Amino acid sequence: MSLRVLALSKGVRRGPETLLGLTLVLGGGIAALALRDDASALVKVAGTTRPLESGHVLTVEDLDIFEVPESTASQFVDASESSNLSGLVVLSDVAQPGPLPMALLTRPDASLTSSQALVAVALEDGQYPPAVTVGHSVIVTVRIQRPDGRVETLSLKPSASVSAVALPSEFQPKAVVTLRVPSQFAAEMATADSVHLAIVGQKQ
């Protein structure tokens, strides 16, 4: 290597083969740096090994470790805390294996009465106020198409309270809002064609 450097410094002509070699060396170095950066930007988080239904209680067999970009890792449970997920309840259907957003998990709520239920709804832009957050009181309006073809619009009164909010991300295209509602209204929400929220009270 020292001989080649010395020859070049004396003005020896660099042919196409030399330039090609330098290009390949530089290109390989850049690629190696990019791969190293990508690897260092991944964070291990907890996730599920299979699809899950709303209301499922997590067990050790449900859980596995996944890698996500560091920029989104705060949405999930760090892999080192995965053992603490057993016994938590899934608030919304999980369609496929993968990282589990923290906002979709909750501990069994001992404060729920027999007349209350926790319901998670997936909402698109325009179906919820962007400012909605945990503790807000909201009016829930649902649109239901009955078997006889009639379309009915119902509003929940009194208002529901927001228990959790998971905003859209690359792993979750819709916002998922978990609501505490009267149990008789939960069935209507489950069959609704659309759900809209309106904030009507301050955060509790």
Side-chain angles (χ1 to χ4, degrees), residues 91-105:
L91 291 172
S92 180
D93 290 347
V94 178
Q96 60 187 13
L100 276 173
M102 287 187 290
L104 296 188
L105 304 175

Side-chain angles (χ1 to χ4, degrees), residues 120-132 138-144 162 165 167-168 173-177 179 189 192-199:
V121 289
L123 303 171
E124 297 180 348
D125 289 346
Q127 292 182 290
Y128 65 99
V132 69
V138 294
I139 288 291
V140 184
T141 302
V142 297
R143 180 181 180 276
I144 302 172
V162 178
V165 177
L167 296 177
K174 295 182 180 181
V176 178
V177 180
L179 304 170
M189 292 181 66
D193 297 306
S194 66
V195 177
H196 288 77
L197 306 183
I199 297 174

Side-chain angles (χ1 to χ4, degrees), residues 28-113:
I30 292 171
L33 286 174
L35 289 173
R36 186 186 67 183
D37 290 343
D38 285 345
S40 65
L42 294 177
V43 175
K44 292 183 177 180
V45 299
T48 176
T49 59
R50 61 190 181 88
L52 302 174
E53 293 184 352
S54 175
H56 177 79
V57 179
L58 290 175
T59 65
V60 174
E61 290 73 22
D62 295 322
L63 302 172
D64 202 353
I65 303 302
F66 296 84
E67 290 185 332
V68 299
E70 187 177 18
S71 59
T72 62
S74 61
Q75 301 176 35
F76 308 99
V77 177
D78 189 86
S80 63
E81 301 292 328
S82 61
S83 61
N84 297 329
L85 297 184
S86 294
L88 296 189
V89 178
V90 180
L91 291 172
S92 180
D93 290 347
V94 178
Q96 60 187 13
L100 276 173
M102 287 187 290
L104 296 188
L105 304 175
T106 187
R107 294 197 176 279
D109 192 343
S111 68
L112 281 176
T113 68

Side-chain angles (χ1 to χ4, degrees), residues 2 12 35 44 55 63 93 130-131 137 146 155 177 204:
S2 59
V12 175
L35 289 173
K44 292 183 177 180
L63 302 172
D93 290 347
S137 294
R146 301 298 185 186
S155 290
V177 180
Q204 300 174 357

